[in-house]
Amino acid sequence: MSQEMLALLVEALLETTYMVAISAFVSALIGIPLGVILVTTDKGHILENLPVNSVLGAIVNAARSTPFIILMVAIIPITRMIVGTSIGTNAAIVPLTIAAIPFVGRIVEAALKEVDHGVIEAAQAMGASPWEIIKKVLLPEALPAIILGLTITIISLIGYSAMAGAIGGGGLGDLAIRYGYQRFRADIMLATVVILIAQVQLVQSGGDYLSRRLNKK
């Protein structure tokens, strides 16, 4: 493999890392509060509000059921409005983030629902406000599970970012299609696959380690 190809692989890896990091950060920033709202507004919880819960749940389900490749094409006008273009790494971040937010929301919701309700009732009995319960009980108790959920999200985003290459999203997927598939370069295809597998392994190992360190049980 030539020096030029190695340089392209490094550049594509950096682009993929950039896309995944930004979209994971923004989706966590929005998805975690979304998951908290989905749990706390549910029937019998600390901020019960069934209309809000039903509407949010329906939106999340609709977003999650849309295949990523269709979502990318469908929101091209929104992508252009936000970043000024529909191709490249910055453009790919928009659909990646929109796809990940409902995913994170449901993962956080599932993690929070595993928190023992007795702990919540004990906090209420001591006069804790809903915000204090969320901040000091729900999130700390569910944190290891949330970390594992975010790990799964990042791994999914790595796969989605490779798909984004199909419509000029940049990164390893774009490199694999333009140089590997279209030019019949099996070595480029193999190299991108190996790099993607290594990325996934690193993220999974890091997520597992962090979750174990935060687990008090």
Side-chain angles (χ1 to χ4, degrees):
M1 192 178 292
S2 68
Q3 289 285 348
E4 184 188 356
M5 282 294 109
L6 284 172
L8 284 170
L9 276 169
V10 171
E11 184 184 353
L13 172 60
L14 292 173
E15 286 177 351
T16 294
T17 305
Y18 166 70
M19 285 190 288
V20 171
I22 298 296
S23 53
F25 175 75
V26 177
S27 61
L29 211 59
I30 301 170
I32 292 173
L34 174 62
V36 171
I37 293 168
L38 284 168
V39 169
T40 55
T41 57
D42 204 0
K43 188 175 181 180
H45 222 288
I46 55 175
L47 293 170
E48 181 180 331
N49 191 323
L50 295 182
V52 169
N53 188 273
S54 298
V55 170
L56 272 181
I59 293 169
V60 166
N61 290 339
R64 283 188 66 197
S65 62
T66 306
F68 179 68
I69 197 75
I70 294 173
L71 178 69
M72 281 184 67
V73 176
I75 66 165
I76 281 175
I78 298 171
T79 303
R80 279 206 193 103
M81 193 188 308
I82 294 171
V83 297
T85 180
S86 60
I87 58 172
T89 51
N90 287 328
I93 288 169
V94 178
L96 284 171
T97 303
I98 291 173
I101 288 168
F103 190 73
V104 172
R106 284 300 187 197
I107 281 173
V108 171
E109 179 190 19
L112 294 175
K113 281 184 174 178
E114 291 299 312
V115 176
D116 186 0
H117 205 72
V119 180
I120 299 168
E121 289 174 346
Q124 284 178 314
M126 288 188 289
S129 67
W131 168 243
E132 287 173 328
I133 291 171
I134 291 166
K135 185 181 173 184
K136 296 179 180 178
V137 178
L138 284 175
L139 289 174
E141 288 289 323
L143 193 55
I146 290 172
I147 294 295
L148 288 177
L150 290 175
T151 302
I152 294 168
T153 304
I154 293 169
I155 290 169
S156 297
L157 284 170
I158 291 171
Y160 287 162
S161 72
M163 251 190 283
I167 60 169
L172 290 165
D174 184 44
L175 183 71
I177 290 167
R178 285 194 296 118
Y179 288 89
Y181 176 72
Q182 292 177 355
R183 300 187 186 186
F184 304 102
R185 289 287 302 272
D187 57 332
I188 299 296
M189 291 286 283
L190 180 62
T192 54
V193 169
V194 169
I195 291 169
L196 286 168
I197 290 171
Q199 269 194 318
V200 168
Q201 290 291 339
L202 280 170
V203 170
Q204 187 66 65
S205 299
D208 289 344
Y209 172 77
L210 193 56
S211 177
R212 283 197 302 271
R213 287 294 302 270
L214 293 170
N215 198 337
K216 300 171 187 175
K217 295 177 184 177

